[in-house]
Amino acid sequence: MLAGLLVVFPLVASLMLFLMKGRQVRNLALGLSVIPFALAIAAYMQFKHNPDSSNLLLNCTWIKSMNIHFALGLDGMGLLLVLLTTFLVPLIILSSFKTEYTNGHAFYGLILLMEMALIGVFMANDGFLFYVFWELALIPIYFICLLWGGEDRARITFKFFVYTLFGSLFMLIGLIYLYNHTYTVAGTKSWAIADLYAAGQGLTEAQQSAVFWLIFIAFAIKMPVFPLHTWQPDTYVTAPTQGTMLLSGIMLKMGTFGLIKWLLPIVPLGLAKWGGTAITLSVIGIIYASCIAIVQKDYKRLIAYSSIAHVGLISAGILAANQQGVQGAVIQMLAHGVNVVGLFLIADILLRHTGTRDIDKLGGIRSMNGNFAVLFLIVLLGSVALPLTNGFVGEFLLINGVYQFSPVTAAFAGLTVILGAVYMLRSYQGIMLGERRDAAVAFGSLAGSDKAVLIIVCAVIIAFGVYPKPLNDLAEPAVKQILSVVNK
Amino acid sequence: MVKLVGLVPLFPLIGFLINGFFGKKLSKGLSGTIASVAVLASFVVSLLLFFDAQHLPGHKAEVSLFGWISADTLDIPFEFLIDPLSSWFLLIITGIGFLIHVYSTGYMHDDEGFQRFFTYLNLFVFFMLLLVLGNNYLIMFVGWEGVGLCSYLLIGFWFKNTDYNNAAKKAFIINRIGDLGFLLGIILIFISFGSITYGQVFEKAGIVNESVITTIALLLFIGAMGKSAQIPLYTWLPDAMAGPTPVSALIHAATMVTAGIYMIVRSNVFYSISEVAAEVVAIVGVATALFAATIGLLQNDIKKILAYSTVSQLGLMFLGLGVGAYSSSVFHVTTHAFFKALLFLGAGSVIHAMGGEQDIRKMGGLKGKIKVTFITMFIGTIAISGIPPFSGFFSKDEILAHVYEHSPVLWFFGMVTSMLTAFYMFRMLYVTFWGTFRGTHEQAHHLHESPSSMTIPLIVLAALSVIGGALGLPEFWGMPNWMHHHLDPILYRKSVSMLSHETEWMLMGLAVVAAAAIIFFAHQLFVKNRVLPEANEAKLKPWQKLIANKYYVDEFYTAIIQKPLDMIALAFHKFFEIQLIDGIVNGVGNSVKGIGSVIRLVQNGNIGMYIISMVLGIILIFLTLFIL
């Protein structure tokens, strides 16, 4: 019941918004977007009470001839990501209050539609359904970027769309291949996740290797992992702030989530053979993107590259396929989602208040708005993973996980600790400290909606840095469960 | 009683929150009082804990607050440990911390960022307390990085000044290099021992492969190199003097920079087992001690002199750790906290009197003008120079005796270091306080003693610098060495002096005579002959220039690390990213588009063309069917 509602409600809300007119639509959007979060909290309560509750499951036949089911369910990890999604969407909507979007009803409608698809991805227990939600998520974000984006949006958005769609086709081939092999394990062809796991594990090493790459490429493009990342910086910069938040805060977690739930348990042999290569790529990406971030002038582009670096570590931790690495990845997905929304809002605030995001043109904002400086600093600290911020818990577990794969690789991955500090502090100093520069002359005070979002983000950063136990309590058994399948 | 341990960090945390949230609405007096009282309250609780801890079974108590991070076998509780080591550091941190808070209420009185200053200062004390109170390595790491953050915030306290901001950034980044080593060390501890809680790790240390222990010890030491400013990661500390002077006293002399010492004493098991690691610590320590002392000889900024002196003294402590003299090093941490905090605060008082001037060449003749500052700084200088019966004499002598036992060569370098120390310290003292006043007329008119909020902490610290040696009287005098006995329970291998009494007397005598001779020499030079440090850098001899420019190490690091990093980053960005990778991606996209535009020509809307191709197609199909 609850499971179905989680997916259906955002869809209904989205349709309602599409039919609305006028400026008040954003208030309605905000109000409606809080409800899925309430539903997710209800699901959390239910899950704590009884993880196997039928309330959290939905399974009905969808396309009988191909044995496709509309199967939804929640484990601890899926629940965390649903909580993240439903928590972030209201914040994302609130962060748009100071920007006037033409056709707001369509804008907010698309955001809610996107939310539906994302929740679907995190809940799907049927391979085909997963793929449908996966592709469905691309459509609203494509239009958000295309219609409300910035300079050169048509070309950049097209590239983003084609690139990710192209990647997804590999996954489709991989899934169909697995589907065709379910016959031997399930007696009938099936898209059910457990059957796909069994089918994949029944394959030879060579077959598993092929499937590994087919599916990995789709996820790697989505995250993105080096060297499949070049669509990302342009897209992040050009997309409207809310689009960037959706892309980086939630959508990239489809890729990392996919790795854990839809790749590791399916092809353990393929992982054993090729995981090391994929980890190496991920770690190269950490260093590579961090270095590039150091020389960025546009703060939004800098965050885009820092996101590639962070995701590289998450990906490496997952592929290390041990409890610390994978659990760290789950925790870091949540932290990264929250922090990056804060960072992109800060980039947006800079642009709105000064007319530029160019670090070289900014400076001295701290002396004009101390509160903003503090909030900015807290988000930054979360991002550089200072202990007692949410970023640290995941990062520590991730490096730990990678270390168990290879100490040397972990040392390289750990360079993020140093390089992250370099680009984050450099840019903070350039923007906030020093003498006041021309662009920052009349910075003024923050709008109520911006302040609210930043305060909530900062509160979460500290709260889950000091007390991450509720998150770990959900992630730990879920990851253990998945790894037990992987290591069977 | 030990249950109250949570209160120790709680008070400064509350002070931080009050000043952080409501500081702007508070008067300066109230804000400073809240911050100071918070630390005082911690000190009182620490005292109670300290006496209580003497009677604990097994000399320790663990207090668990909540489960923090858990992932399968990795289980890290937020847990505190009270034992002889932590309870002693609590006293140093909160005691000295309180004095410096009081001092700061006077020193920072006219600063518009007064409340912000105390916010950061309380936060620092909170993290420093976590660092020493944690019962596992990760809590230590929390405090470790937390104090690094506060150090960053306080070095760059005057955030409009770009140089200060650069110094702050440099401190944070260099510390992060060390922190990565520390972090990897913690992970290796977990992997080797299945736990990172001190007790569980140390009891199994004997059964783990020695090469693993060595790796762990070296990784941890990388962390210590960063935080405690040892070669090659020391360059941030002299720059850190950009922060307000009380910060230099508290963070960059008395407490934070000794965290590396604390970490190694805490982990003494590893360094007792791994001789390689211990030797590395000793060599890095002695090299840093000597190297920094030589730089100190030719500095003219009063705070820079003290900064290099701090680096050098920390090196001496690591030398002690390297030869297994753990309790001697903690003893020196303690006396150093007294006299170096005193010297920094005294320097602050001088700077205050001089209206912000820090160059000793522009001072001179201050001894009659600011008497309390002069007398207390004089005491501090004697104490650091190793003249009995002042505190520094006992702690330094104890370290050097152990070093001699280990290796006379290392002892020799240690001796040279302490002679250099006596020289540059008395040089600073003589040039500042003797001779004639060399400042501007306006400064001369303005000269005044600091308010009592500043002088009282000076007097207290001076008293401690005089009597602090009583904490560790030499055993060969037949006296009880309290520090030695106090720390005994936490040491894996007890250090017992094997030297004969005659040797010990001889070493001690030699040290005193050498120091006295150096001081006499300095007196001749700077008081009798009134030699002044060269004001014109162009006139320096080449070797002096080399030293005055700190051996160009900063320039060297810029050339081999910073510049290449920027170049690599640019190369990645301009070439690899835009030309190569994205070039390939766009190339693939464009060629697909290209093929598309060629194939599109076929669909040109000409029906005749379609019919012809249809016919051709049918023929082709038939042909293939027949042939096959």
Side-chain angles (χ1 to χ4, degrees):
Chain A
M1 175 64 198
L2 206 47
L5 212 52
L6 271 167
V7 173
V8 172
F9 184 83
L11 181 64
V12 174
S14 162
L15 295 176
M16 278 171 69
L17 289 168
F18 272 116
L19 300 175
M20 283 290 173
K21 276 279 175 289
R23 231 177 134 259
Q24 290 312 311
V25 70
R26 65 185 190 196
N27 294 331
L28 183 67
L30 181 63
L32 287 173
S33 71
V34 174
I35 295 171
F37 183 54
L39 291 173
I41 294 282
Y44 172 67
M45 297 300 188
Q46 183 83 67
F47 189 86
K48 289 276 276 185
H49 182 66
N50 173 18
D52 302 319
S53 160
S54 61
N55 237 336
L56 303 174
L57 285 172
L58 184 74
N59 195 348
C60 42
T61 308
W62 183 18
I63 302 173
K64 199 154 188 205
S65 60
M66 291 204 308
N67 204 6
I68 296 170
H69 288 251
F70 201 94
L72 299 173
L74 279 173
D75 63 346
M77 176 174 69
L79 180 57
L80 282 171
L81 284 156
V82 168
L83 281 164
L84 175 76
T85 307
T86 54
F87 171 73
L88 285 182
V89 168
L91 288 186
I92 292 171
I93 291 175
L94 187 58
S95 76
S96 74
F97 273 32
K98 281 286 132 187
T99 311
E100 213 52 63
Y101 288 110
T102 49
N103 294 322
H105 62 287
F107 185 74
Y108 296 111
L110 286 169
I111 292 180
L112 267 292
L113 186 62
M114 174 100 180
E115 183 177 23
M116 182 276 288
L118 290 163
I119 294 176
V121 165
F122 297 136
M123 293 183 69
N125 274 339
D126 178 284
F128 190 83
L129 185 66
F130 172 73
Y131 183 78
V132 168
F133 279 127
W134 175 276
E135 294 293 38
L136 201 56
L138 194 55
I139 295 165
I141 193 69
Y142 172 71
F143 283 108
I144 289 174
C145 296
L146 185 67
L147 299 177
W148 291 276
E151 212 177 310
D152 204 11
R153 57 178 184 260
R155 184 184 68 83
I156 289 167
T157 310
F158 180 72
K159 179 170 162 184
F160 154 63
F161 186 80
V162 171
Y163 207 144
T164 51
L165 192 70
F166 175 74
S168 308
L169 289 177
F170 286 103
M171 174 167 75
L172 184 62
I173 296 168
L175 287 175
I176 291 173
Y177 184 80
L178 288 168
Y179 168 71
N180 283 330
H181 278 82
T182 48
Y183 189 81
T184 49
V185 290
T188 165
K189 285 189 181 178
S190 154
W191 287 101
I193 188 162
D195 295 333
L196 293 176
Y197 283 179
Q201 300 200 351
L203 298 175
T204 66
E205 189 188 54
Q207 289 168 319
Q208 287 201 19
S209 300
V211 174
F212 173 84
W213 283 109
L214 285 170
I215 297 180
F216 179 73
I217 283 178
F219 295 154
I221 291 175
K222 206 67 145 197
M223 291 191 266
V225 168
F226 176 90
L228 303 173
H229 66 278
T230 51
W231 62 269
Q232 188 257 37
D234 285 341
T235 308
Y236 278 21
V237 171
T238 311
T241 297
Q242 287 65 39
T244 315
M245 290 171 171
L246 287 169
L247 280 165
S248 61
I250 317 174
M251 197 170 180
L252 77 78
K253 277 76 191 180
M254 287 168 44
T256 47
F257 170 87
L259 277 185
I260 301 175
K261 184 168 170 179
W262 293 94
L263 186 64
L264 297 194
I266 290 180
V267 286
L269 294 178
L271 177 76
K273 188 158 170 55
W274 292 104
T277 312
I279 290 179
T280 306
L281 285 177
S282 305
V283 172
I284 290 174
I286 298 174
I287 298 168
Y288 179 81
S290 298
C291 284
I292 294 183
I294 293 175
V295 289
Q296 293 311 305
K297 305 272 178 245
D298 180 346
Y299 192 60
K300 200 176 181 188
R301 193 175 286 271
L302 186 150
I303 307 167
Y305 278 105
S306 94
S307 183
I308 297 176
H310 279 116
V311 168
L313 184 56
I314 295 176
S315 162
I318 294 169
L319 293 161
N322 53 54
Q323 179 77 26
Q324 284 76 29
V326 180
Q327 193 183 326
V330 175
I331 302 298
Q332 191 69 336
M333 282 187 229
L334 308 174
H336 177 266
V338 174
N339 299 358
V340 89
V341 163
L343 286 169
F344 279 120
L345 176 59
I346 286 165
D348 193 48
I349 290 172
L350 291 174
L351 185 66
R352 272 188 276 125
H353 283 241
T354 68
T356 182
R357 289 187 308 245
D358 188 333
I359 296 166
D360 288 345
K361 290 184 183 145
L362 294 164
I365 292 176
R366 169 158 205 171
S367 47
M368 280 169 289
N369 193 330
N371 289 335
F372 177 56
V374 172
L375 293 169
F376 188 170
L377 185 69
I378 293 173
V379 179
L380 180 154
L381 294 176
S383 181
V384 300
L386 198 89
L388 299 192
T389 67
N390 60 357
F392 176 70
V393 183
E395 191 170 288
F396 172 69
L397 291 174
L398 282 167
I399 297 179
N400 199 327
V402 177
Y403 195 104
Q404 293 170 50
F405 165 75
S406 148
V408 177
T409 310
F412 279 108
L415 288 178
T416 183
V417 169
I418 300 164
L419 296 173
V422 173
Y423 61 73
M424 278 298 174
L425 291 186
R426 258 196 202 187
S427 56
Y428 185 77
Q429 182 176 332
I431 295 168
M432 302 302 291
L433 308 179
E435 288 290 345
R436 196 161 68 184
R437 303 281 288 274
D438 295 346
V441 164
F443 189 81
S445 53
L446 293 186
S449 57
D450 292 338
K451 212 183 223 172
V453 175
L454 283 181
I455 288 174
I456 292 171
V457 166
C458 289
V460 170
I461 286 175
I462 293 171
F464 287 114
V466 176
Y467 197 66
K469 198 166 179 296
L471 309 181
N472 276 320
D473 282 348
L474 283 182
E476 192 176 353
V479 169
K480 210 176 255 179
Q481 165 71 29
I482 284 174
L483 288 178
S484 73
V485 179
V486 177
N487 300 323
K488 201 157 59 181
Chain B
M1 187 66 225
V2 287
K3 296 279 175 216
L4 294 183
V5 62
L7 290 177
V8 178
L10 183 66
F11 287 125
L13 182 64
I14 292 172
F16 159 73
L17 292 173
I18 293 175
N19 266 321
F21 279 110
F22 312 110
K24 282 178 204 151
K25 298 185 187 95
L26 300 177
S27 71
K28 284 184 177 175
L30 190 56
S31 163
T33 307
I34 289 170
S36 306
V37 167
V39 182
L40 179 63
S42 286
F43 178 67
V44 172
V45 179
S46 299
L47 260 185
L48 296 173
L49 282 173
F50 176 76
F51 289 113
D52 202 52
Q54 314 286 332
H55 314 295
L56 288 172
H59 298 281
K60 66 173 192 174
E62 296 172 343
V63 178
S64 194
L65 298 185
F66 53 86
W68 188 33
I69 296 176
S70 109
D72 199 20
T73 52
L74 177 71
D75 185 19
I76 305 167
F78 213 101
E79 208 167 50
F80 290 154
L81 169 70
I82 281 289
D83 75 346
L85 184 63
S86 64
S87 62
W88 183 245
F89 267 85
L90 289 187
L91 287 183
I92 300 179
I93 296 161
T94 54
I96 309 260
F98 170 65
L99 291 173
I100 293 176
H101 272 71
V102 172
Y103 178 95
S104 304
T105 57
Y107 189 84
M108 299 298 289
H109 195 264
D110 299 325
D111 198 288
E112 59 177 329
F114 188 89
Q115 290 89 343
R116 189 163 56 88
F117 183 80
F118 281 99
T119 310
Y120 295 162
L121 222 50
N122 267 187
L123 185 66
F124 166 77
V125 174
F126 166 73
F127 276 123
M128 192 68 212
L129 292 169
L130 282 192
L131 194 160
V132 297
L133 271 176
N135 189 30
N136 61 57
Y137 280 101
L138 212 61
I139 304 294
M140 194 203 284
F141 190 76
V142 171
W144 190 272
E145 286 238 303
V147 292
L149 167 69
C150 298
S151 167
Y152 166 78
L153 292 170
L154 284 160
I155 295 168
F157 181 73
W158 289 303
F159 55 80
K160 287 182 185 170
N161 184 317
T162 302
D163 288 342
Y164 297 178
N165 290 329
N166 287 338
K169 188 175 61 182
K170 180 176 176 183
F172 195 88
I173 290 169
I174 292 186
N175 267 291
R176 276 243 151 166
I177 298 174
D179 292 357
L180 176 58
F182 188 2
L183 198 61
L184 293 173
I186 296 173
I187 291 169
L188 184 55
I189 291 173
F190 161 66
I191 290 169
S192 315
F193 295 92
S195 168
I196 57 167
T197 297
Y198 299 140
Q200 294 170 18
V201 172
F202 299 151
E203 71 186 11
K204 284 188 233 154
I207 53 172
V208 168
N209 189 326
E210 194 182 317
S211 67
V212 173
I213 299 276
T214 301
T215 313
I216 291 173
L218 291 176
L219 284 170
L220 294 183
F221 183 53
I222 292 175
M225 283 175 181
K227 194 64 70 197
S228 297
Q230 296 297 293
I231 290 174
L233 300 180
Y234 71 95
T235 54
W236 65 271
L237 185 58
D239 287 13
M241 298 301 126
T245 307
V247 172
S248 311
L250 177 63
I251 301 182
H252 304 123
T255 54
M256 182 185 86
V257 290
T258 62
I261 321 280
Y262 169 81
M263 173 216 260
I264 289 182
V265 177
R266 177 57 79 201
S267 319
N268 67 80
V269 181
F270 299 146
Y271 297 87
S272 300
I273 292 175
S274 166
E275 281 178 22
V276 178
E279 208 64 34
V280 170
V281 172
I283 289 167
V284 170
V286 78
T288 308
L290 194 58
F291 186 76
T294 60
I295 299 178
L297 293 176
L298 285 179
Q299 295 300 308
N300 295 316
D301 180 323
I302 190 167
K303 287 181 71 181
K304 284 275 163 77
I305 299 172
L306 292 174
Y308 281 104
S309 163
T310 305
V311 175
S312 174
Q313 295 290 311
L314 290 167
L316 194 66
M317 295 175 209
F318 279 105
L319 174 60
L321 297 176
V323 302
Y326 300 107
S327 76
S328 317
S329 287
V330 174
F331 183 24
H332 199 58
V333 165
T334 311
T335 60
H336 180 260
F338 296 156
F339 57 68
K340 192 51 74 62
L342 165 63
L343 287 165
F344 264 115
L345 295 185
S349 180
V350 170
I351 297 167
H352 193 70
M354 293 288 298
E357 183 58 61
Q358 296 188 192
D359 191 330
I360 56 171
R361 289 170 299 191
K362 295 176 183 154
M363 298 177 182
L366 297 181
K367 67 177 165 159
K369 309 281 186 354
I370 44 175
K371 278 217 175 82
V372 179
T373 306
F374 165 63
I375 294 169
T376 50
M377 275 193 91
F378 196 14
I379 291 171
T381 307
I382 300 175
I384 192 176
S385 300
I387 300 295
F390 290 59
S391 59
F393 163 75
F394 292 100
S395 52
K396 192 169 65 180
D397 195 74
E398 199 181 307
I399 289 181
L400 286 179
H402 283 288
V403 173
Y404 184 84
E405 197 181 346
H406 182 80
S407 148
V409 178
L410 288 178
W411 170 85
F412 173 75
F413 289 122
M415 241 339 253
V416 173
T417 302
S418 55
M419 286 160 72
L420 294 174
T421 306
F423 181 79
Y424 67 67
M425 285 309 301
F426 270 89
R427 170 181 177 268
M428 181 192 94
L429 190 78
Y430 287 142
V431 174
T432 308
F433 290 99
W434 266 264
T436 50
F437 187 69
R438 297 177 296 274
T440 62
H441 195 68
E442 197 185 329
Q443 282 173 327
H445 180 70
H446 189 70
L447 274 182
H448 62 279
E449 184 56 277
S450 301
S452 55
S453 58
M454 288 165 69
T455 50
I456 290 172
L458 287 178
I459 293 166
V460 176
L461 286 168
L464 289 170
S465 301
V466 176
I467 61 168
L471 292 167
L473 295 171
E475 268 158 348
F476 73 98
W477 286 10
M479 303 279 218
N481 187 324
W482 177 83
M483 185 65 83
H484 196 134
H485 290 289
H486 179 66
L487 290 180
D488 209 45
I490 62 137
L491 295 180
Y492 179 76
R493 186 179 297 153
K494 323 295 175 201
S495 73
V496 188
S497 177
M498 306 302 259
L499 293 177
S500 68
H501 285 194
E502 290 75 25
T503 318
E504 296 221 29
W505 275 112
M506 187 200 70
L507 292 175
M508 188 177 266
L510 212 59
V512 175
V513 171
I518 289 286
I519 293 168
F520 178 72
F521 174 63
H523 187 266
Q524 291 296 316
L525 204 61
F526 298 110
V527 179
K528 251 315 194 10
N529 298 327
R530 305 209 162 194
V531 173
L532 276 181
E534 181 57 61
N536 184 354
E537 210 192 297
K539 284 190 193 159
L540 291 176
K541 298 189 186 77
W543 68 270
Q544 289 176 319
K545 213 167 168 180
L546 181 69
I547 292 179
N549 284 298
K550 308 140 197 169
Y551 300 100
Y552 297 99
V553 173
D554 277 310
E555 287 79 1
F556 178 67
Y557 283 176
T558 308
I560 64 154
I561 298 171
Q562 201 175 327
K563 287 249 170 73
L565 181 62
D566 281 345
M567 274 166 56
I568 290 170
L570 271 177
F572 280 174
H573 182 50
K574 300 269 185 227
F575 177 70
F576 282 94
E577 181 76 354
I578 295 173
Q579 309 268 331
L580 193 68
I581 301 179
D582 208 30
I584 292 171
V585 171
N586 288 336
V588 171
N590 289 337
S591 56
V592 172
K593 245 195 219 164
I595 294 167
S597 59
V598 171
I599 296 174
R600 197 182 56 197
L601 296 177
V602 181
Q603 301 193 0
N604 56 5
N606 185 333
I607 296 177
M609 184 72 189
Y610 289 166
I611 292 172
I612 289 174
S613 40
M614 203 170 84
V615 172
L616 284 175
I618 291 169
I619 292 171
L620 208 69
I621 291 169
F622 274 102
L623 277 176
T624 27
L625 283 179
F626 281 121
I627 292 167
L628 294 175

